[in-house]
Amino acid sequence: MVEFKANFREVNLLKGHRLGIGTYGAVFKAKCDSLIICAAKVLHPTLFNPAMQHQIAAERSHVAPIRKFEQECEFLSTIRHPNVVQYLGLTEDPDTGLPVLLMELMDENLTHFLHQGELACDTDQQPEIPFRVQINICHDIALALSFLHSNKIIHRDLSSNNVLLIGNVKAKLTDFGMATYALTQLTFTRSPGADVYMPPEAVWNDFPTYTEKIDCFS
């Protein structure tokens, strides 16, 4: 299991301020040293039940949830880029004793941002998302991918859920649980990310071969 390392004397998880929830865990606000507000990814305790781990692994054979968490911590702790969410460290959930991933706090994900834009258009409250904002978001994503691919890292799970925004000013990539190093074209697991974002070669074959272009398609 990952080692607890955080450059803070005290970390308080604010579980009354949940930012989101997923299959493997939830994200809450956290206060570090009574000054810094950040995001904290907390795993569901049931994932550490051996029987539950076996069931999940059988359904999602490409990666067990615990390994996915460890992998995300590993990648985030070793990369630094203005368009990749900033890793702050690891701490322990005092309620469960499980590891917690600390990251910089962002405003929302791209899915929510686009959805709010669609609702506004439907109700004529404001114009659609300005073209310059669309370009800026796409440019930020491209910069992050260029950095990752130049370092032989494939994200493999790029979607609007995994693009976080600070207002509509800056976009950053997150969720590196499916990321991998690829020095050459290799055989990987089928459809590592959400099917709707995956290219044909990652979906149609049980043991597909693909490169960093999988991220460009997404």
Side-chain angles (χ1 to χ4, degrees), residues 26-45:
V27 179
F28 301 93
K29 284 186 178 181
K31 181 178 289 187
C32 303
D33 292 345
S34 302
L35 294 173
I36 302 173
I37 299 296
C38 64
K41 178 177 283 189
V42 180
L43 290 173
H44 294 313

Side-chain angles (χ1 to χ4, degrees), residues 36-186:
I36 302 173
I37 299 296
C38 64
K41 178 177 283 189
V42 180
L43 290 173
H44 294 313
T46 52
L47 296 180
F48 285 79
N49 181 302
M52 182 61 68
Q53 288 187 44
H54 175 74
Q55 294 173 12
I56 295 175
E59 295 176 1
R60 299 176 179 267
S61 58
H62 51 272
V63 61
I66 305 307
R67 178 54 190 150
K68 182 178 186 291
F69 179 82
E70 293 176 334
Q71 196 164 288
E72 181 173 16
C73 295
E74 177 186 343
F75 274 99
L76 281 179
S77 66
T78 57
I79 57 180
R80 294 287 187 274
H81 190 271
N83 298 110
V84 174
V85 67
Q86 181 66 53
Y87 170 89
L88 298 178
L90 288 170
T91 189
E92 180 177 330
D93 185 343
D95 296 330
T96 63
L98 300 182
V100 175
L101 171 60
L102 300 175
M103 304 170 289
E104 67 174 310
L105 180 64
M106 304 288 285
D107 291 330
E108 61 183 339
N109 64 27
L110 183 56
T111 299
H112 182 264
F113 179 74
L114 295 174
H115 181 61
Q116 291 300 109
E118 291 173 356
L119 291 178
C121 291
D122 291 341
T123 57
D124 296 325
Q125 292 180 359
Q126 63 182 36
E128 64 181 8
I129 298 171
F131 184 67
R132 61 176 177 80
V133 174
Q134 299 179 43
I135 292 296
N136 286 341
I137 291 174
C138 291
H139 183 244
D140 284 347
I141 296 171
L143 288 176
L145 288 182
S146 177
F147 168 76
L148 294 176
H149 294 167
S150 67
N151 286 280
K152 306 302 181 183
I153 298 173
I154 307 178
H155 188 281
R156 298 204 303 166
D157 194 16
L158 183 60
S159 71
S160 58
N161 286 332
N162 295 333
V163 176
L164 301 182
L165 303 176
I166 299 177
N168 58 12
V169 178
K170 184 179 285 291
K172 301 191 179 190
L173 297 192
T174 189
D175 199 341
F176 284 78
M178 298 295 182
T180 188
Y181 291 104
L183 301 179
T184 59
Q185 188 179 60
L186 300 173

